[in-house]
Amino acid sequence: MPLSPEQEAEIADQRATPQPTLRAVAPGMEDHLYTAYPVLDHGFVRVIDYMGDDAAICQAARVSYGKGTKSVSNDEGLIRYLMRHWHSTPFEMCEIKLHVKLPVFVARQWIRHRTANVNEYSARYSILDREFYIPAPEHVAAQSTVNNQGRGELLEGAEAARVLEILKADSARAYDNYEAMISDDGQQGLARELARMNLPANIYTQWYWKVDLHNLFHFLRLRADAHAQYEIRVYAEEICKLVADWVPFAYRAFEDYRMGGATLSATALDCIRRMVKGEEVTQENSGMSKGEWREFMGVLG
């Protein structure tokens, strides 16, 4: 299950006892506080706390007190300017703390983004739950023939069933042995910090992850991209929904300039200028490698 009964009771208690505050709040984010949004088969994302809003970004950029004298339309224009020109520190004035439950192999990808504060559930002190990520049949695919770190065609029929059965059986067997090793029933039992090495990478872990908005946008640009691995992309997509309600001006600018935009090399820009003039540009006369040309064509659609 995504949430334990104890966690659900804690959330219900927190939501039932709101506290008065003098700090700026984002109504959209207030609606999300503590709620767990399911991801994958046993995972979730929920907001524990946050600081700042769109106005905080503008306040930092202007280094002014309060909301100042600028209009809302000017705030949105300023945020778009900051995003367009790759300013970072104003966006760092906003922070968010998330509670995330995710498979270990996804966590190992996620932790590559080192510009955050993380505290993970410890299998040295506690016993991990018997919960494993088993992909749905529509996400069981062969190795890509053009991308060494991606998926290709879906596995179907008996082959897909065979793979899923192996994943389920190996996960169950590894956890059975884990329980047997740490058991103190008639034996001393192996230390948890050693027994955990036998657990598979698809077992679920949990952590608190605190990050500022600038670095969160960098994370989302990479992990919510269509080329990101599905299992981490669905977490990023769920976080995108939260951020859109938290800082709507900043998120719209992010969608426009980062998610919907593209960064082109000087060579690529030169090719576009030549195309606009009516010249026929090919990979052979573009000055690009085959890989660069393929990506360039992808950007142009």
Side-chain angles (χ1 to χ4, degrees), residues 62 67-72 74-75:
R62 297 181 179 122
K67 292 188 176 181
T69 59
K70 301 298 182 180
S71 67
V72 170
N74 284 338
D75 278 358

Side-chain angles (χ1 to χ4, degrees), residues 202-273:
N202 66 331
I203 197 166
Y204 274 85
T205 185
Q206 300 184 41
W207 63 27
Y208 275 21
W209 192 68
K210 182 172 72 69
V211 65
D212 66 63
L213 184 59
H214 167 66
N215 286 296
L216 177 58
F217 277 152
H218 181 67
F219 171 85
L220 295 176
R221 183 175 66 85
L222 295 175
R223 301 306 185 178
D225 184 86
H227 299 93
Q229 183 174 343
Y230 167 78
E231 284 78 13
I232 195 169
R233 188 172 74 245
V234 288
Y235 282 93
E237 290 171 347
E238 197 63 44
I239 295 171
C240 280
K241 299 174 188 176
L242 301 173
V243 177
D245 287 341
W246 172 28
V247 283
F249 290 168
Y251 186 76
R252 284 200 293 268
F254 166 72
E255 275 192 311
D256 197 10
Y257 292 114
R258 301 290 183 269
M259 298 297 286
T263 300
L264 298 175
S265 67
T267 301
L269 282 174
D270 180 63
C271 287
I272 290 176
R273 294 187 184 105

Side-chain angles (χ1 to χ4, degrees), residues 275-294:
M275 290 174 178
V276 169
K277 292 178 181 178
E279 181 180 342
E280 182 180 355
V281 181
T282 65
Q283 187 266 312
E284 289 73 18
N285 67 17
S286 68
M288 300 184 196
S289 67
K290 290 182 179 179
E292 288 176 306
W293 180 257
R294 184 174 62 249

Side-chain angles (χ1 to χ4, degrees), residues 24-70:
V25 296
M29 186 59 94
E30 291 290 307
D31 291 339
H32 291 301
L33 272 176
Y34 310 125
T35 301
Y37 295 97
V39 185
L40 297 179
D41 49 359
H42 300 294
F44 62 75
V45 172
R46 68 183 184 116
V47 181
I48 299 300
D49 200 1
Y50 72 98
M51 181 182 74
D53 56 4
D54 279 326
I57 299 168
C58 297
Q59 182 189 51
R62 297 181 179 122
V63 198
S64 63
Y65 291 104
K67 292 188 176 181
T69 59
K70 301 298 182 180

Side-chain angles (χ1 to χ4, degrees), residues 137 140 154-165:
V140 180
L154 290 180
L155 299 183
E156 297 179 354
E159 187 173 8
R162 178 183 67 86
V163 169
L164 289 171
E165 184 55 39

